[in-house]
Amino acid sequence: MHREDFQSLDPKFAQSLVDIVASELKKNVNITDDRGVILASFSKERVGQVHEAAAQRLTSGNIQEFSVSAEDEIRMRGVRRGVNVPIIFADRCVGVIGVTGDPETAAPYARLAARFVEAALESNANREKLMIALKEKRELQTIFVNKIISIQEEERKKISRELHDETSQSLTSIIVGLRVLAEVVTSKAEREQIMQMRDLVARTLDAVHHLAVELRPLLLDDLGLIVAAQKYVDHYCQQYPIAVDIDFVNLSREQRFLPEIEITMYRILQEALTNIAKHAQASHVQVKLRRQRQRLCLTVSDNGIGFNPDFTSKSGTRLGIFGMKERVELFDGIFAIKSLPGAGTEVAAEIPLANKKNKKRIW
Ligand SMILES: Nc1ncnc2c1ncn2[C@@H]1O[C@H](COP(=O)(O)OP(=O)(O)OP(=O)(O)O)[C@@H](O)[C@H]1O
Ligand SMILES: [Mg+2]
């Protein structure tokens, strides 16, 4: 245990303890560290007489409690009668409490005060251990979340490409084949049946295409966030009776960011708009994506029924809002939801662009 650790004892706490004992006994009281340096004292002028003696004993390696008797007081000129009780922490003497006066009267107070300081040090150390454990847990959690998101994104990308390149191509070939077949059959009824089948396959192709885009829009990888966000909003407006205004501030269509930042902002836009379609009963949405110095900021506000965000954050089954928050926090960004029942909702996410940590991500 080093001196610094001992000093982690709050000086105000040490001083209060000294003041209490001193006012009770009407004697001088001090607390010194293991080098005899005063940490707290009742009477600065006179207290040195006791702590000097204590420091001598400490440096000589004797950490037993010791008293200065009336005879000592006469023999060792300048040293006042009193008692010195070591403060033991982690099997070491980390300091001394000195109380002047008749050692028999002073000793119980000094001992009590020493035990009190030891308990405070113990509790400090425990708190520190707890803080370290919590920090480690949070770091581990961040690694897990990062890993889960990266695996999920990779998987989505793979399935999306598969749907786009394989499934869509096959469905398109079937549509073409059915059209050719419809032209060669002579019976009208058969032709109609084939055309119905063709329409069904065409609708399936649309659904597959939609699924692929939801999973991972190739546009995002190829042309970037601005184009992909605009496209997503256009498609959203066709799907739902909701008007969406989208504004890009300080951003050009060609502007690119780290892929992880682009996908994060895209997922937040996607989840916020999906939530609006699912829950908000809104007629109008305002989306704003802006670059502000070294930060990328997204806000999505609706004029819907709103909700109480404090309440929903406590229910573990809803993952949308939780997921948005986790994603943003991976980048040391800020995520906030402002909402009130009846007054619409605003989702805001801010990600620093020039954060060194954000350049090290793997997905
Ligand atoms: N824009 C909004 N307007 C009104 N209520 C909302 C809005 N966004 C979220 N909510 C409320 O917050 C709750 C939590 O949203 P969250 O996205 O976390 O979960 P969810 O959409 O219900 O499920 P999922 O896990 O599929 O996203 C919703 O169930 C809804 O009650
Ligand atoms: Mg949701």
Side-chain angles (χ1 to χ4, degrees), residues 239-280:
Q239 251 186 317
Y240 304 104
I242 303 171
V244 183
D245 285 335
I246 183 160
D247 261 348
F248 299 107
V249 183
N250 290 338
L251 291 164
S252 65
R253 269 176 76 83
E254 299 74 34
Q255 178 93 52
R256 299 299 307 255
F257 302 100
L258 285 175
E260 304 76 34
I261 292 182
E262 293 196 329
I263 189 70
T264 298
M265 281 306 196
Y266 186 85
R267 292 292 181 218
I268 291 165
L269 176 68
Q270 209 177 8
E271 176 60 25
L273 286 177
T274 305
N275 272 354
I276 292 170
K278 261 166 55 177
H279 312 293

Side-chain angles (χ1 to χ4, degrees), residues 152-168:
Q152 190 192 41
E153 286 300 339
E154 275 312 310
E155 204 60 17
R156 284 179 174 183
K157 204 171 176 175
K158 224 169 79 189
I159 300 171
S160 177
R161 282 217 180 269
E162 185 92 10
L163 285 176
H164 188 265
D165 297 345
E166 302 289 330
T167 318
S168 295

Side-chain angles (χ1 to χ4, degrees), residues 138 324-333 335 357:
R138 180 65 204 163
M324 291 195 269
K325 190 167 177 295
E326 285 290 310
R327 278 179 182 267
V328 172
E329 285 177 357
L330 277 183
F331 291 93
D332 289 337
F335 178 81
K357 220 170 95 190

Side-chain angles (χ1 to χ4, degrees), residues 137-288:
K137 197 172 158 215
R138 180 65 204 163
E139 278 166 8
L140 210 61
Q141 195 180 335
T142 307
I143 293 170
F144 275 140
V145 172
N146 197 9
K147 193 88 194 144
I148 289 168
I149 293 177
S150 70
I151 292 172
Q152 190 192 41
E153 286 300 339
E154 275 312 310
E155 204 60 17
R156 284 179 174 183
K157 204 171 176 175
K158 224 169 79 189
I159 300 171
S160 177
R161 282 217 180 269
E162 185 92 10
L163 285 176
H164 188 265
D165 297 345
E166 302 289 330
T167 318
S168 295
Q169 296 304 329
S170 310
L171 290 173
T172 308
S173 305
I174 296 172
I175 293 172
V176 174
L178 286 172
R179 196 183 298 141
V180 173
L181 198 64
E183 277 163 19
V184 294
V185 293
T186 44
S187 139
K188 193 175 170 229
E190 275 174 353
R191 192 178 311 126
E192 262 171 20
Q193 236 175 351
I194 293 169
M195 289 309 277
Q196 272 172 14
M197 220 185 295
R198 196 202 69 114
D199 289 348
L200 181 64
V201 179
R203 283 201 298 278
T204 311
L205 179 62
D206 272 352
V208 165
H209 179 72
H210 178 66
L211 191 62
V213 171
E214 282 284 320
L215 280 170
R216 174 87 178 205
L218 300 182
L219 259 186
L220 184 64
D221 294 319
D222 298 343
L223 297 176
L225 177 63
I226 320 300
V227 177
Q230 180 70 61
K231 184 89 180 160
Y232 186 81
V233 165
D234 292 347
H235 189 249
Y236 182 88
C237 291
Q238 286 164 16
Q239 251 186 317
Y240 304 104
I242 303 171
V244 183
D245 285 335
I246 183 160
D247 261 348
F248 299 107
V249 183
N250 290 338
L251 291 164
S252 65
R253 269 176 76 83
E254 299 74 34
Q255 178 93 52
R256 299 299 307 255
F257 302 100
L258 285 175
E260 304 76 34
I261 292 182
E262 293 196 329
I263 189 70
T264 298
M265 281 306 196
Y266 186 85
R267 292 292 181 218
I268 291 165
L269 176 68
Q270 209 177 8
E271 176 60 25
L273 286 177
T274 305
N275 272 354
I276 292 170
K278 261 166 55 177
H279 312 293
Q281 298 169 32
S283 60
H284 191 261
V285 178
Q286 175 76 47
V287 176
K288 193 183 260 184

Side-chain angles (χ1 to χ4, degrees), residues 271 275-276 278-280 302 305-307 312 317-322 345:
E271 176 60 25
N275 272 354
I276 292 170
K278 261 166 55 177
H279 312 293
D302 68 61
I305 56 170
F307 69 111
T312 46
T317 51
R318 311 290 186 193
L319 288 179
I321 292 174
F322 178 75
T345 300

